[in-house]
Every structure is written in C-alpha cells, then in structure tokens.
Amino acid sequence: MPLSPRQCLGAAALLTAAAAAPTWAQGSTPIKFQLDWRFEGPAALFLQPVAKGYFKQAGLNVTVDAGNGSGGAVTRVASGAYDMGFADLAALMEFHANNPDAPNKPVAVMMVYNNTPAAVFALKKSGITKPADLGGKKLGAPVFDAGRRGFPIFAKVNGVKDVAWTSMDPPLRETMLVRGDVDAITGFGFTSLLNLEARGVKPADVVLMPYADHGVKLYGNAIIVGQKLLKENPGAIKAFLGAFARGAKEVMANPAAAIEHVKARDGIVNVPLETRRLQLAIDSVIASPDARAEGFGQVVTSRLSLMASQVSDAYGTKTRVNPEAVWNGSFLPGRAELDVLPAAKK
C-alpha cells in the first residue's frame, strides 16, 4: 500500500534525524586509553582492535597512548585525563588504600595478566639458584618496580631475609647485574630476560625465579576505568571489552602479524625482539595455567582478597585495601567472547 503524503513526510523526518544523530557504528564515543609502558610487544593487544576497526564497529573512537609505569596510568585515569588504562592491579590497590577519599578512584574491569610478570633474576655464576640463596645479597631495581614493591611478599613466602637494595633508572638495571654491581634484580619476566640477552648474556646463564612459580599468586595488569565513565556510559565499557577480547584472540593466535601494529606506532622497534616479548607475555602471564583455570579476564574472589591483604602489608598503605572496591566484573563479555586463549602447548 502506498504511503500517504503525511506518512512520507514523517518517514523523511525520521531518516533525516537518524542521519544527523551520532551512532555507535560511527564511533561516537571517544575513549582515551593509557598504556602502562612504551609501545612494546604486549601493546599489540590494544593496537590490534584499533587497527582492525573493532572499536569503531563497537561504537568507540579509541586513542591509545604510551605510558611510563602502572602508577602513572592509575593516576592519569583517576585525574580524568584518561577514561581507561592498563595497570598493575597492585598499583591500583595501593592508590585506593592511600587515597580513600579520592572521588574518581579507578576500578579494574578485566584481568589481562592473570599472573604478575614480576620475577627475580640472577646469573648462574653468582651461585644463586633458588630464593633462599638471596638472603644477605644485594638486589637492584628502580624504586617503583612492581617486583621490588612486592618483594616483601616473595620474601615472606620463601623465607628470604636481610637483602640490601640498590636503586637505579630502568635502563641501568640489567647492565648493573651483568657488571656485578648487584647480585640479583627484580623485573618483568618478558622484559629483563630479553634485556639481559641484549647485553650478551646467554639464556642458559640466567637464573629466573618468577613470583608466580614461587608461591606468590598476585594478579598482574588489568584494564581499569575511571568513575566518570562508569557512571555516565557503562555501555561503552562493555563495548570496549568485547572489542578488546576479539582483538586479543587474534593477537594470541598470530603474534608476529600483530607486532606490525606496534611498529606502526613506533617505527624504530625491533620486530623480532618485540615478537618474542609478546610471545613470552602470552605464555607466562596471559595464557598461564592459572588463567586457563580461572578463565580469561576474570578473577577469583579468594585470591583477590588474599592479594589485597598482602599488598596492604607489603606496601604499608594508609588504609587496608578493600578488594570489593577495586574490582567490577559486571562489564565482562559472555563466556564465548572470553574464549580467547590459544590451545595449551604440549
């Protein structure tokens, strides 16, 4: 049946309004995202869905910026300078407990590094082969290093006492270990190992003690969100996490291809090196046995509560960390969308 003149006018008005109104498909919601570190291998997890247009398809206009540490990422999201970020959960817990009255305390909404990447490194020639050998030794790390901040937890679990710390800037950490200025260092497993190799150390000559393999089951980096976005546009958070999970699955299936997106953001990156770094991160902290048991993106309440207590003690926070205040899993995609981990290696 043909439309009447009035119906035609009404339909035309609706089409005009629809064309003028911003839509999800047009990427109408801007999201400023702060990484925890430079554009290195693991950044591909966030650059892939940008490059592939998955955020755009979800109605988001996402910009991803490099960072200079998890503490900085937490602070910038808390200040409102960024809507979302990627940060170590321990750094987020510390901010909450030291700033109980802050109005825009970020919360974690998706766990990406199910295990902390923190580890202790030593050279075999030092005679250090296990945590107990660290007693009375000189350890080195930047003052803000996650492994150094969490070392009291590692020390308590493994009975390590009387270590002395030497502070340095991040670029000097591995150099000082190679020179013998310190007996051991703390750092991220997928970072310090490659840095030691770059300084001429053979992998077979490195003693690596990941916290996760020595009784310290701290969670690592998570996607965090500021209170403003939580209150004003929760739908954007859910859309972001769905698009991120889609990209993360592709990154873990083909890390070598995903590194091209990192190189597009920083033309001087060493592609083979960053491909290895990304693969190490996937194997050690993203698709770890704990992640497979708990499910990608999620946390276990009992483990989260234990970590909150451990961080409160190790970091000497002003108030005790409230685990319920730092985590909100209500925006996570469904089980099928979170089925992103590659098949376990045999």
Side-chain angles (χ1 to χ4, degrees), residues 89 93 108-115 217-220 222 288-310 322-324 326-329 332 338:
L89 187 62
M93 287 181 167
V109 294
M110 176 182 272
M111 188 56 57
V112 181
Y113 293 171
N114 185 278
N115 298 102
K217 294 294 185 178
L218 299 177
Y219 285 111
S288 66
D290 288 322
R292 295 183 186 280
E294 296 179 9
F296 177 78
Q298 305 177 63
V299 301
V300 171
T301 301
S302 58
R303 184 177 161 195
L304 183 69
S305 297
L306 175 59
M307 178 177 175
S309 178
Q310 291 174 321
N322 176 6
E324 296 180 359
V326 301
W327 172 256
N328 184 339
L332 287 171
L338 289 176

Side-chain angles (χ1 to χ4, degrees), residues 24 30 36 80 92 101 118 129 186 194 240 271 295 300 313:
W24 285 104
D36 64 324
L92 178 65
D101 299 323
T129 61
T186 57
L194 297 182
F240 183 100
V271 170
V300 171
D313 294 337

Side-chain angles (χ1 to χ4, degrees), residues 19-54:
T23 66
W24 285 104
Q26 292 171 325
S28 60
T29 301
I31 300 289
K32 291 187 64 179
F33 191 91
Q34 173 72 73
L35 289 175
D36 64 324
W37 199 239
R38 298 184 291 263
F39 289 118
E40 295 182 339
L45 294 164
F46 299 96
L47 299 179
Q48 175 91 358
V50 172
K52 292 290 187 178
Y54 299 153

Side-chain angles (χ1 to χ4, degrees), residues 36-153:
D36 64 324
W37 199 239
R38 298 184 291 263
F39 289 118
E40 295 182 339
L45 294 164
F46 299 96
L47 299 179
Q48 175 91 358
V50 172
K52 292 290 187 178
Y54 299 153
F55 288 131
K56 285 283 188 182
Q57 293 170 25
L60 308 175
N61 182 12
V62 177
T63 56
V64 178
D65 291 337
N68 59 359
S70 286
V74 172
T75 301
R76 292 184 187 108
V77 174
S79 72
Y82 284 83
D83 304 294
M84 303 179 70
F86 189 51
D88 181 28
L89 187 62
L92 178 65
M93 287 181 167
E94 181 184 26
F95 183 88
H96 269 251
N98 284 341
N99 301 276
D101 299 323
N104 192 36
K105 291 190 289 294
V107 299
V109 294
M110 176 182 272
M111 188 56 57
V112 181
Y113 293 171
N114 185 278
N115 298 102
T116 175
V120 178
F121 294 82
L123 301 182
K124 285 187 176 179
K125 64 182 182 181
S126 69
I128 297 172
T129 61
K130 56 187 182 299
D133 297 333
L134 296 170
K137 301 296 185 179
K138 184 186 294 184
L139 272 66
V143 293
F144 56 82
D145 175 69
R148 177 171 176 173
R149 300 298 307 280
F151 187 80
I153 304 170

Side-chain angles (χ1 to χ4, degrees), residues 56-341:
K56 285 283 188 182
Q57 293 170 25
L60 308 175
N61 182 12
V62 177
T63 56
V64 178
D65 291 337
N68 59 359
S70 286
V74 172
T75 301
R76 292 184 187 108
V77 174
S79 72
Y82 284 83
D83 304 294
M84 303 179 70
F86 189 51
D88 181 28
L89 187 62
L92 178 65
M93 287 181 167
E94 181 184 26
F95 183 88
H96 269 251
N98 284 341
N99 301 276
D101 299 323
N104 192 36
K105 291 190 289 294
V107 299
V109 294
M110 176 182 272
M111 188 56 57
V112 181
Y113 293 171
N114 185 278
N115 298 102
T116 175
V120 178
F121 294 82
L123 301 182
K124 285 187 176 179
K125 64 182 182 181
S126 69
I128 297 172
T129 61
K130 56 187 182 299
D133 297 333
L134 296 170
K137 301 296 185 179
K138 184 186 294 184
L139 272 66
V143 293
F144 56 82
D145 175 69
R148 177 171 176 173
R149 300 298 307 280
F151 187 80
I153 304 170
F154 180 90
K156 182 177 181 179
V157 170
N158 292 283
V160 180
K161 298 180 180 179
D162 303 322
V163 303
W165 284 96
T166 297
S167 301
M168 73 282 288
D169 291 331
L172 294 176
R173 171 174 24 202
E174 292 79 18
T175 298
M176 292 183 69
L177 178 63
V178 173
R179 289 194 317 215
D181 297 331
V182 294
D183 301 305
I185 58 174
T186 57
F188 276 9
F190 52 75
T191 296
S192 288
L193 181 63
L194 297 182
N195 290 347
L196 285 168
E197 287 185 36
R199 287 156 179 78
V201 180
K202 296 178 181 179
D205 294 330
V206 178
V207 177
L208 172 61
M209 293 176 270
Y211 281 26
D213 293 346
H214 290 83
V216 181
K217 294 294 185 178
L218 299 177
Y219 285 111
N221 284 37
I223 295 174
I224 65 173
V225 182
Q227 291 293 330
K228 188 174 186 293
L229 190 63
L230 278 168
K231 295 172 182 175
E232 296 181 1
N233 200 343
I237 300 170
K238 195 170 185 67
F240 183 100
L241 298 184
F244 170 79
R246 181 182 177 188
K249 183 173 185 175
E250 294 179 351
V251 170
M252 287 186 272
N254 192 349
I259 289 298
E260 292 304 317
H261 304 310
V262 180
K263 187 170 179 59
R265 290 300 302 267
D266 184 350
I268 65 171
V269 300
N270 182 320
V271 170
L273 179 70
E274 295 310 326
T275 302
R276 285 190 62 205
R277 193 189 310 279
L278 175 57
Q279 189 65 63
L280 283 170
I282 293 169
D283 293 342
S284 62
V285 299
I286 300 175
S288 66
D290 288 322
R292 295 183 186 280
E294 296 179 9
F296 177 78
Q298 305 177 63
V299 301
V300 171
T301 301
S302 58
R303 184 177 161 195
L304 183 69
S305 297
L306 175 59
M307 178 177 175
S309 178
Q310 291 174 321
V311 168
S312 298
D313 294 337
Y315 286 48
T317 54
K318 293 179 182 178
T319 64
R320 302 293 294 180
V321 176
N322 176 6
E324 296 180 359
V326 301
W327 172 256
N328 184 339
S330 66
F331 303 101
L332 287 171
R335 181 175 298 180
E337 290 180 88
L338 289 176
D339 183 17
V340 303
L341 299 179

